Amino acid sequence: MVTVLVTGFDPFGGEAINPSGEAVKRLDGREIGGARVVARILPATFAGSGPALGRAIDEVGPDIVIAVGQADGRTALSLERVAINVQDARIPDNDGAKPVDEPVVAGGPAAYWTSLPIKAMAAALRQEGIPAEISQTAGTFVCNHLFYSLAHIIATRRPGLRGGFIHIPLLPEQAARNPAKYASMSLATIVAGLEIAAAAAVANISDIKVSDGEIA
Ligand code: PCA
């Protein structure tokens, strides 16, 4: 049976809740698209998130990893295309660390592509009425760090593994505490979206070739 490891994060940046952690908890132990789903919550820290992911991969032995994180301002489930080898923090992480222009992996490649079928996943989400987008940047904070760390694990020691990253909007209650500038999505919709995305990742070994790019 195919195993999908889904990860979310602890709350960070002064928030009491992180929708990524809340959403993946609800998927733990479920069977989706014929696959077994295992969820883990990772620390929202540069130093801790990568090693915690590495341990979870060694423990669970997944075929697919879908890492999930919160991104304020996103209006859709945001399927990340690329992880870049840089850390440039605007706010401190949960350890108080605030690296500026440091590599995730010294001497590592500038970037790694996702190995998830993100176009197929976006198409499946839209088909079910859930807003989805292809994103060209996962930022330069802990989420990009984790995505790069995941891709580096795949490139250096887990060749058969497929993995990538999804950013999700804030919950309505988080957006309501901010000046009215942030989009939000209900937890139920996020959870339903992650189920659809996971099923599409299981069903599509390679991606579909459809245009979903951006004109800057
Ligand atoms: N979002 C942050 C880190 C943890 C999270 O959920 C990010 O986008 O980098």
Side-chain angles (χ1 to χ4, degrees):
M1 193 174 194
V2 169
T3 298
V4 181
L5 173 64
V6 291
T7 68
F9 280 105
D10 286 334
F12 71 102
E15 292 282 344
I17 193 170
N18 188 324
S20 67
E22 296 307 312
V24 303
K25 265 192 253 169
R26 286 161 175 79
L27 299 178
D28 192 36
R30 299 269 309 279
E31 194 180 316
I32 294 172
R36 174 177 79 106
V37 178
V38 179
R40 290 282 191 279
I41 314 280
L42 305 175
T45 66
F46 287 99
S49 58
L53 176 68
R55 285 192 299 274
I57 289 172
D58 290 341
E59 252 176 58
V60 173
D63 302 283
I64 296 171
V65 178
I66 302 177
V68 185
Q70 153 190 326
D72 51 26
R74 302 278 172 123
T75 57
L77 293 194
S78 207
L79 308 166
E80 299 295 349
R81 190 195 290 266
V82 59
I84 58 177
N85 193 12
V86 71
Q87 311 176 114
D88 190 355
R90 196 163 36 76
I91 58 168
D93 73 7
N94 285 354
D95 282 338
K98 203 169 168 291
V100 173
D101 294 352
E102 288 172 23
V104 179
V105 176
Y112 284 115
W113 302 119
T114 187
S115 47
L116 293 180
I118 54 172
K119 302 278 183 80
M121 292 160 77
L125 285 161
R126 292 174 186 142
Q127 175 100 30
E128 298 295 328
I130 295 182
E133 65 185 358
I134 303 299
S135 165
Q136 324 304 340
T137 174
T140 58
F141 193 53
V142 174
C143 287
N144 173 73
H145 169 100
L146 182 77
F147 182 15
Y148 189 95
S149 304
L150 167 60
H152 193 69
I153 289 171
I154 293 172
T156 57
R157 61 183 182 89
R158 290 270 173 174
L161 181 60
R162 298 190 288 137
F165 200 95
I166 301 179
H167 265 121
I168 60 175
L170 298 181
L171 298 173
E173 56 267 39
Q174 293 177 292
R177 283 194 296 270
N178 281 290
K181 66 178 181 187
Y182 290 138
S184 63
M185 191 181 272
S186 75
L187 186 58
T189 302
I190 293 170
V191 171
L194 293 179
E195 284 173 30
I196 293 161
V202 171
N204 293 270
I205 297 294
S206 50
D207 209 353
I208 56 173
K209 189 156 179 164
V210 292
S211 162
D212 208 336
E214 278 175 54
I215 297 172

